[in-house]
Amino acid sequence: MKKLLQMENIERHYETPAGAVKALDGVTFEIMEGERVILLGPSGSGKTTLLNCLSALDSPTAGSYMFIDQVVPRNNSEQMTSFRRENIGYVFQFFNLLQDLTVLENILLIQELAGKKDPQRAKELLKLVGLEAEIDRFPGEISGGQQQRVAIARSIAKHPTLLLGDELTGNLDTETSNKVMEVLVSACKQEKITSVFVTHDEGLVRYATRVIRIDSGKIVSDKSLDNDLKE
Ligand SMILES: Nc1ncnc2c1ncn2[C@@H]1O[C@H](COP(=O)(O)OP(=O)(O)OP(=O)(O)O)[C@@H](O)[C@H]1O
Ligand SMILES: [Mg+2]
């Protein structure tokens, strides 16, 4: 397996009136191509902060971050944006769909920005997440769980190298959540997409090849699971 990315001693500090908060406090790990990582940890432990640093939405305060052979840009919004467009799919904790675009248009836009327009694939993905009938509706006209499924379809629509998800099944019932995870895992396998999913749901561990636990900005455990590596 080839190495996809490496973080070394990553720190992310926030200055607040009450003093500095160390949201990430010396995080070191590498991720190999094709791994499916689940990131677990209590509220406030630094999970979203870590995803934001992985995606170059946010800049670490200190430490090094390499993606393939590239130093990941920081403190430069243009370079960070093009890094994201090229490499990253992200399902946010509060899925941010564009309200003025239909379900289908939300997906076409992301593909277009990445230079990978493919309406056929957009429609197939919406079918896979069970939203065939909703493609021409606006986000305000569908339920929270349906919006979340649009965000999930959108995140893989451009074939990202790295797929990040923050509580991506948080609003779905168990049955829909399992269906969506199966769609995601099979897309990741077929297209060799590496993934890191944040969750509070220990039930999702069975879809992962590796589980990392974080507490107070530090990695407290990191385990590869052999249950899935056999495939
Ligand atoms: N913009 C900010 N300014 C100051 N402190 C922040 C900011 N964003 C996050 N923090 C702090 O950094 C720490 C990590 O926050 P983070 O959002 O990464 O947690 P999380 O693990 O994603 O939690 P949750 O499970 O509740 O989403 C928390 O102590 C939080 O209060
Ligand atoms: Mg969070």
Side-chain angles (χ1 to χ4, degrees):
M1 275 200 293
K2 277 194 350 211
K3 193 195 297 182
L4 176 67
L5 64 87
Q6 178 166 31
M7 281 191 155
E8 253 177 280
N9 271 315
I10 289 290
E11 307 266 339
R12 177 63 169 101
H13 302 169
Y14 293 107
E15 298 304 330
T16 71
V21 176
K22 290 187 174 182
L24 296 175
D25 187 11
V27 168
T28 298
F29 63 90
E30 45 183 58
I31 295 181
M32 310 304 266
E33 279 179 4
E35 283 195 288
R36 293 194 302 281
V37 179
I38 293 276
L39 183 61
L40 292 165
S43 180
S45 57
K47 302 179 301 292
T48 298
T49 308
L50 184 56
L51 287 193
N52 290 345
C53 288
L54 280 169
S55 65
L57 261 178
D58 191 13
S59 302
T61 312
S64 96
Y65 177 21
M66 298 285 298
F67 192 92
I68 312 180
D69 295 321
Q70 182 186 1
V71 175
V72 176
R74 57 179 80 163
N75 303 317
N76 175 316
S77 57
E78 263 174 46
Q79 287 178 16
M80 289 161 78
T81 301
S82 54
F83 171 82
R84 273 200 310 283
R85 279 191 182 151
E86 228 167 274
N87 299 294
I88 307 291
Y90 200 148
V91 185
F92 293 90
Q93 191 165 11
F94 308 102
F95 29 92
N96 35 7
L97 301 174
L98 294 172
Q99 299 296 317
D100 297 343
L101 297 182
T102 65
V103 164
L104 180 61
E105 287 164 352
N106 262 283
I107 294 183
L108 295 176
L109 174 69
I110 286 284
Q111 290 179 328
E112 211 169 313
L113 288 172
K116 297 176 187 167
K117 202 164 179 192
D118 186 348
Q120 179 94 14
R121 176 176 170 82
K123 286 180 196 157
E124 270 164 25
L125 287 170
L126 285 169
K127 191 171 167 191
L128 278 174
V129 297
L131 291 177
E132 268 177 294
E134 285 80 10
I135 62 171
D136 293 323
R137 294 214 221 152
F138 291 92
E141 300 170 341
I142 57 179
S143 73
Q146 289 171 332
Q147 290 183 48
Q148 189 151 24
R149 282 182 275 155
V150 177
I152 288 166
R154 183 179 62 171
S155 71
I156 46 176
K158 66 171 188 190
H159 303 276
T161 311
L162 177 63
L163 174 63
L164 303 172
D166 204 347
E167 295 292 354
L168 82 175
T169 57
N171 290 288
L172 307 178
D173 59 82
T174 312
E175 194 189 329
T176 311
S177 159
N178 286 333
K179 223 178 87 193
V180 161
M181 283 306 292
E182 270 148 34
V183 168
L184 275 179
V185 166
S186 81
C188 286
K189 280 185 190 162
Q190 265 173 39
E191 301 176 14
K192 310 232 180 314
I193 298 170
T194 307
S195 61
V196 179
F197 295 152
V198 163
T199 184
H200 285 106
D201 181 0
E202 300 265 350
L204 296 192
V205 165
R206 67 193 154 102
Y207 296 105
T209 62
R210 179 175 170 192
V211 177
I212 298 178
R213 286 172 203 271
I214 176 173
D215 200 353
S216 305
K218 292 185 203 297
I219 291 178
V220 292
S221 106
D222 185 348
K223 291 200 178 90
S224 288
L225 307 175
D226 41 62
N227 60 348
D228 228 283
L229 291 174
K230 58 181 184 274
E231 291 165 52

